[in-house]
Amino acid sequence: MPYSVRRLNCLIALTLALLALQPCHAEGASEAEPDAVLPLVAVTGNYSNAVGSSEAASAGVVNRKLMENRPTLRPAEVLEFVPGLIVSQHSGDGKANQYYLRGFNLDHGTDFATFVDGMPANMPTHAHGQGYTDLNWLIPELVERIHYRKGPYYADEGDFASAGSARIRLADTLGQGQASLTLGANAYQRALVAHSTALSAGHLLYAVEAAHNNGPWDHPQHFKRLNGVLRYSLNEGGVRQSLTAMAYTAQWDATDQVPQRAVDAGLIGRFGAIDPSDHGRTQRSSLSYQRTQALPDGDWQFNAYAIASRLNLFSNFTYYLDDPVQGDQFEQAERRQTYGAHTARSWNVDWGGLEMTNKVGAQVRHDRLAPVGLYRAEGGGRTDVTQESRVRETGWGVFAENDTRWLPWLRSVAGLRSDRFDFDVTSSIADNSGQRHAMINSPKLSLILGPWHKTEYFINTGWGFHSNDARGVTARVTARINPDTGVRDDTSAAVPLVRTRGSEIGVRTEIIPGLQSSLALWQLQLGSELVFVGDAGETEASGGSHRYGIEFNNHYVASDWLMLDGDIAFSQARFDRPQGDAPNAGRDVPGSVRTVVSLGATVTQWGPWFGQFQMRYFGPRPLIEDNSQHSKGTTLAYLRAGYRLNAHTKLSLDIFNLFNRKASDIDYYYVSRLPGEPADGVGGIHSHPAEPRTARLTLTVNF
């Protein structure tokens, strides 16, 4: 039976099964009364995922309470608060993290869209990877909430949002000023001062952060970070608006993934490096404005932003495979300016007795890269140009959405989105210069049924897309010269916009007092996984793929001082046709995580004590297409134990990798060459280890 038919049959069966859970009517009764007209008990814990709060079982909100209590090893780990999402790292602390969700190795952000106060964090046509999402400039203490959604079911979500999205909202005010100092192993130091004060009719918030960390690496990373935020907000007369300025700079020495065979042979230790001259430096500054205005018949939203960033990243993944004398180190560098805006207007109407909300919106984003390039390097210095480009990339999006309550127990949300992208590339390789344009339309539909007995049901479907790197979209030849022929090989240009399609069926319930539970079964298809490979400076073709899985999320307020969270996700990612080189061709998608489990307990007010325990597991991943090489599972636990010395002072101890597991943050399988090895290199697993047990002590004073 064809895959599409099997999938359709499964969805039909699941729909019937879920509808069968609807309570039966007593004989002679006209209709079971939905909870829409009955009082629902609100539950406030680490998550706001109550019945009636979203359009899909897989969507929700992370509350500030969890941000305040759960420890993070790195700033981007706030995204790990999204159920089913894993955050890891394969290089220095200043580089963007690796993300895993719903059977994707999202690399540094592709197919998961992240926004901070309306500003996009994903960077298209990035020097290191498409959709690169660096959140090291985020100060976790300023995060008010995270609104997360999964799947391509939402008309206001465009590029990179096929697997999901997270919208991080910063606080306008702080309850108290905060000064904190953190000290830890490996010369870890962090200082933070944050405060908000009334100014005129609004509030002024400021925060300054400085951090240093050597890490456990044999070659200390000398990571230095300096971060600042200045924000003015005003909330009066039904209008909420804010103006936010940010600035960030960081530099580090990197220990990238290393070949396991070098560790086994004793050439280096687990925390050693093959090329200790790898390093990076980055800067980012931004100015953003947000406005939300309540109107008699709806609301109006507007935000605009300007971002300037730059990155210089030196890496060496294959060591001496391409150049046995000088080595294979390369530099990826870019200077970028990003400008954009978003506006949306909604109207609440009564149409023939039906409650209805109509919404229309428009978005625009323009990226200017001058330049973005790939360069040869040695010893941490640039030696030659492989490819350098000036890029102008503009994305336009318009959308419309209709939200109608047809019956007390039936609501629909239908949307349509249209996007256009313009690519303009001027390359140092003349054949790779050019202009291209592409358009794509994406319909969406969600049905929400119930609630009955504090339980509601969801059916979601939609089309989405992700863009490819502009340099790959206009490429005609490879960036690197073929050593056998002395010329560049011909290559096929990448598809500008790759179609995705997803669907989901789910249930959410609060039938047990204090417990919010949701179950979602989902599937997602990608028309192509053809992407530009920044590490090689050229495109690499993969076929279409499909993914499917199940997620079960539970958030329980056990008492006024104890909250429990438990999330389990299973997924399967497969190419539509065998991929890879013989004899290892197969249909497994390398790096796709099949099992994710996260368990947490939060203690908030147990006398003067507070704390949090978090354990997360992500299972073995195929490393090549036939799964003959695969990684081991990784289990890590974090612990925070804190004590309030008085009303204004507290002390907390964070322990990361509590059980000191010798696990990997990430694994790859590819060919590399160490000195003395065959000229063709040796295939093997390359890993970046999770940091060993690490303790950090924080003193916080409120004022």
Side-chain angles (χ1 to χ4, degrees):
M1 183 181 296
Y3 168 77
S4 58
V5 176
R6 294 199 308 269
R7 185 181 72 250
L8 179 61
N9 289 342
C10 289
L11 287 176
I12 292 173
L14 288 168
T15 302
L16 294 175
L18 287 176
L19 292 177
L21 294 174
Q22 179 179 332
C24 297
H25 307 164
E27 186 175 354
S30 59
E31 184 178 359
E33 187 175 23
D35 290 346
V37 296
L38 298 176
L40 295 177
V41 179
V43 177
T44 302
N46 289 331
Y47 294 82
S48 294
N49 293 352
V51 169
S53 63
S54 67
E55 300 164 8
S58 58
V61 174
V62 184
N63 291 328
R64 184 176 179 83
K65 189 175 295 185
L66 184 58
M67 246 77 67
E68 292 174 343
N69 291 291
R70 181 170 166 177
T72 55
L73 185 66
R74 306 177 184 93
E77 285 189 2
V78 298
L79 286 182
E80 211 166 83
F81 301 171
V82 175
L85 197 152
I86 291 292
V87 178
S88 68
Q89 180 59 280
H90 77 98
S91 187
D93 279 357
K95 186 178 178 182
N97 292 83
Q98 298 280 133
Y99 307 99
Y100 299 89
L101 178 71
R102 287 197 163 186
F104 281 91
N105 176 352
L106 298 165
D107 194 46
H108 296 288
T110 305
D111 286 306
F112 188 81
T114 303
F115 300 84
V116 178
D117 262 11
M119 291 184 292
N122 302 74
M123 296 289 110
T125 311
H126 191 271
H128 184 66
Q130 178 73 345
Y132 186 87
T133 304
D134 180 6
L135 288 177
N136 286 297
W137 47 272
L138 183 68
I139 300 177
E141 288 86 349
L142 301 185
V143 175
E144 179 71 26
R145 68 179 187 181
I146 302 174
H147 180 204
Y148 63 86
R149 301 191 287 193
K150 301 176 188 176
Y153 319 131
Y154 308 95
D156 58 347
E157 303 285 9
D159 199 8
F160 301 123
S162 293
S165 66
R167 293 185 175 268
I168 300 172
R169 176 176 169 178
L170 301 182
D172 289 334
T173 62
L174 302 175
Q176 301 180 81
Q178 174 181 331
S180 65
L181 177 65
T182 303
L183 301 176
N186 305 308
Y188 182 87
Q189 305 164 29
R190 179 179 184 252
L192 171 68
V193 177
H195 187 45
S196 63
T197 183
L199 180 64
S200 184
H203 289 85
L204 181 68
L205 181 150
Y206 65 85
V208 179
E209 175 200 40
H212 174 272
N213 187 23
N214 283 337
W217 319 110
D218 293 348
H219 300 277
Q221 67 174 341
H222 303 297
F223 174 61
K224 299 175 183 177
R225 178 175 73 235
L226 185 62
N227 209 354
V229 176
L230 186 64
R231 179 181 180 89
Y232 182 74
S233 60
L234 185 65
N235 191 350
E236 62 177 4
V239 179
R240 177 185 177 270
Q241 51 190 329
S242 63
L243 182 66
T244 306
M246 296 182 171
Y248 161 75
T249 183
Q251 62 184 48
W252 65 96
D253 295 326
T255 295
D256 285 317
Q257 68 265 16
V258 296
Q260 186 61 44
R261 63 184 185 276
V263 177
D264 295 340
L267 300 177
I268 58 172
R270 288 187 68 239
F271 302 102
I274 300 297
D275 191 340
S277 68
D278 291 348
H279 68 281
R281 57 183 180 272
T282 186
Q283 295 177 347
R284 181 191 182 277
S285 58
S286 64
L287 183 66
S288 62
Y289 173 75
Q290 283 192 302
R291 178 186 178 96
T292 301
Q293 181 174 356
L295 300 171
D297 60 348
D299 63 54
W300 175 57
Q301 301 173 4
F302 175 80
N303 75 277
Y305 53 86
I307 307 169
S309 63
R310 64 187 304 167
L311 173 72
N312 297 84
L313 185 64
F314 292 81
S315 307
N316 188 348
F317 301 139
T318 54
Y319 320 120
Y320 293 94
L321 180 64
D322 296 329
D323 190 333
V325 178
Q326 295 181 330
D328 299 348
Q329 190 180 69
F330 57 90
E331 178 193 6
Q332 296 161 309
E334 69 162 56
R335 288 183 296 172
R336 177 189 300 263
Q337 295 178 357
T338 303
Y339 307 96
H342 165 99
T343 186
R345 174 70 162 95
S346 65
W347 294 267
N348 301 320
V349 299
D350 187 313
W351 185 64
L354 297 177
E355 297 178 12
M356 182 181 298
T357 300
N358 295 313
K359 184 177 182 180
V360 296
Q363 300 158 346
V364 62
R365 172 177 176 170
H366 177 68
D367 288 81
R368 302 171 65 90
L369 293 100
V372 54
L374 179 67
Y375 309 89
R376 289 188 55 79
E378 182 182 7
R382 184 184 300 180
T383 60
D384 198 7
V385 177
T386 301
Q387 177 174 266
E388 186 176 79
S389 302
R390 295 181 180 272
V391 177
R392 303 290 184 268
E393 180 173 339
T394 305
W396 311 79
V398 294
F399 64 90
E401 185 179 83
N402 171 268
D403 186 332
T404 301
R405 182 170 293 281
W406 300 94
L407 296 167
W409 54 268
L410 177 61
R411 174 175 157 233
S412 68
V413 182
L416 178 63
R417 180 181 182 91
S418 182
D419 288 270
R420 174 189 168 96
F421 279 73
D422 300 322
F423 305 94
D424 186 348
V425 178
T426 302
S427 174
S428 59
I429 303 171
D431 287 341
N432 287 344
S433 297
Q435 297 180 345
R436 288 191 69 179
H437 313 280
M439 291 189 65
I440 196 166
N441 298 315
S442 306
K444 327 275 185 174
L445 178 63
S446 296
L447 299 177
I448 302 96
L449 296 86
W452 296 282
H453 296 284
K454 300 179 183 177
T455 302
E456 61 184 344
Y457 307 90
F458 307 87
I459 303 173
N460 312 92
T461 188
W463 283 256
F465 72 97
H466 71 243
S467 64
N468 267 319
D469 191 299
R471 295 168 293 173
V473 168
T474 62
R476 297 179 182 85
V477 297
T478 58
R480 293 178 175 173
I481 296 174
N482 188 324
D484 297 328
T485 63
V487 298
R488 293 182 172 88
D489 295 330
D490 292 337
T491 189
S492 299
V495 176
L497 305 177
V498 176
R499 165 64 72 203
T500 63
R501 180 184 179 183
S503 57
E504 179 177 313
I505 187 167
V507 59
R508 171 175 287 155
T509 184
E510 294 181 276
I511 196 168
I512 299 175
L515 176 64
Q516 297 174 348
S517 295
S518 62
L519 177 69
L521 296 96
W522 60 270
Q523 68 87 27
L524 182 64
Q525 294 174 288
L526 274 72
S528 170
E529 299 212 11
L530 179 67
V531 296
F532 184 89
V533 182
D535 294 344
E538 58 191 46
T539 57
E540 181 178 278
S542 294
S545 64
H546 58 270
R547 291 165 169 83
Y548 54 89
I550 182 171
E551 297 172 337
F552 185 40
N553 304 321
N554 299 273
H555 310 296
Y556 182 48
V557 180
S559 70
D560 59 357
W561 58 270
L562 177 63
M563 290 168 285
L564 304 175
D565 301 305
D567 305 308
I568 304 174
F570 301 99
S571 63
Q572 178 72 51
R574 301 279 284 173
F575 286 113
D576 295 336
R577 295 180 178 84
Q579 303 292 311
D581 299 325
N584 300 119
R587 294 179 59 191
D588 286 286
V589 178
S592 56
V593 177
R594 296 179 177 176
T595 305
V596 173
V597 179
S598 179
L599 304 173
T602 305
V603 175
T604 55
Q605 295 177 354
W606 194 39
W609 294 95
F610 62 93
Q612 212 270 346
F613 172 80
Q614 192 74 31
M615 185 176 72
R616 51 109 155 166
Y617 165 83
F618 59 106
R621 287 85 66 197
L623 300 181
I624 57 177
E625 288 80 0
D626 69 347
N627 199 23
S628 60
Q629 299 289 334
H630 54 269
S631 68
K632 298 179 180 179
T634 298
T635 302
L636 296 175
Y638 292 176
L639 175 69
R640 169 171 288 176
Y643 187 83
R644 299 184 187 277
L645 301 174
N646 55 50
H648 302 288
T649 309
K650 63 183 179 181
L651 196 64
S652 59
L653 176 66
D654 295 341
I655 303 177
F656 302 95
N657 195 357
L658 177 65
F659 303 118
N660 204 27
R661 299 293 298 269
K662 291 185 177 180
S664 294
D665 259 344
I666 197 165
D667 300 286
Y668 303 95
Y669 185 91
Y670 58 85
V671 175
S672 63
R673 181 179 180 272
L674 301 174
E677 290 185 335
D680 292 338
V682 177
I685 294 177
H686 298 67
S687 302
H688 190 267
E691 296 193 20
R693 183 189 295 124
T694 302
R696 296 176 183 173
L697 185 66
T698 301
L699 176 67
T700 302
V701 178
N702 296 118
F703 58 91

